[in-house]
Amino acid sequence: MTTVAGKLGAGGMRFALIVSRFNRFITDRLLEGAIDTLRRMGAAESDLTVLWVPGALEIPALARTVARAGAHDAVVCHGAVIRGATTHYDHVCIAAVGGAAEVALEAEERGVVVTTGILTTENLEQAIERAGSKSGNKGSDAAMAAV
Ligand code: INI
C-alpha cells in the first residue's frame, strides 16, 4: 500500500502570516492560534513574519506578492468577514476567499503553500466560536494545513 501524507514538523520552514485589522477582536485570536500552533510544531521565532492589511479584501494581493518574492515557504492568511446590513459582505467574501484560492494555485507552482483562515460568518457569535472557542481556531487550522 502506498500512502501519501504530510509530516507535521515546522522546523526550518519560513512562514508569512497575513492578518487583517478589520474585526481585529477576532483576527487577533486567529493569529494567536496560528502562532501557537507553529511554535508547538517547531517553527523558529525568526522564521515567523506577521504582515497586517486593512481588511480581508487586501489579503490576496499581499499574499501573491509574498508568494512571488520567494522568502517564505508558506503564507497563512487570516481575516474575519462578518455579515452586515448590506451586500458588501458577499463581495468581500468572494473576493477574499476566491482571491486567496487563486493565489494558492499560482504559488503552488513556485513551491509556496498558501492557506486561508478567513472566517465568513453570519454574525459575531459564529466568528467567536471559530476563533478559539467551541468550534476551534481556524487560524490554527490554517497554520496546520500549511505545515
Ligand atoms: N473587511 C473585513 O475584513 N471584514 C469585513 O467584515 C468587512 N466588511 O464587512 O465590510 C471588511 N470590509 C473592508 C474591506 O476588506 C476592505 O478593507 C475595504 O473595502 C478597503 O478596500
Side-chain angles (χ1 to χ4, degrees), residues 1 9 13 33 35-36 42 47 51 54 58-59 65 68 71 93 97 104 113 115 129-130 145-147:
M1 182 173 72
M13 292 174 65
I35 291 174
D36 178 58
D47 284 335
L51 301 159
E58 283 71 42
I59 289 173
T65 299
R68 286 180 177 176
C93 284
V97 178
V113 169
T115 63
E129 284 172 2
R130 290 157 179 77
V147 173

Side-chain angles (χ1 to χ4, degrees), residues 20 22-23 54-58 79-84 88-89 92:
S20 64
F22 207 103
N23 290 323
L57 215 45
E58 283 71 42
V81 193
I82 301 175
R83 190 182 287 283
H88 192 56
Y89 165 90
V92 175

Side-chain angles (χ1 to χ4, degrees), residues 15-103:
F15 298 88
L17 304 164
I18 298 181
V19 55
S20 64
R21 291 185 185 281
F22 207 103
N23 290 323
R24 191 167 170 181
F25 172 72
I26 299 295
T27 61
D28 274 347
R29 309 275 130 16
L30 298 175
L31 178 63
E32 282 167 15
I35 291 174
D36 178 58
T37 294
L38 294 175
R39 281 180 180 148
R40 287 188 290 116
M41 289 199 290
E45 217 59 30
S46 56
D47 284 335
L48 304 181
T49 306
V50 177
L51 301 159
W52 289 92
V53 291
L57 215 45
E58 283 71 42
I59 289 173
L62 182 59
R64 187 170 65 177
T65 299
V66 172
R68 286 180 177 176
H72 297 90
D73 300 295
V75 183
V76 188
C77 305
H78 307 86
V81 193
I82 301 175
R83 190 182 287 283
T86 70
T87 59
H88 192 56
Y89 165 90
D90 301 288
H91 297 293
V92 175
C93 284
I94 291 165
V97 178
E102 263 180 50
V103 170

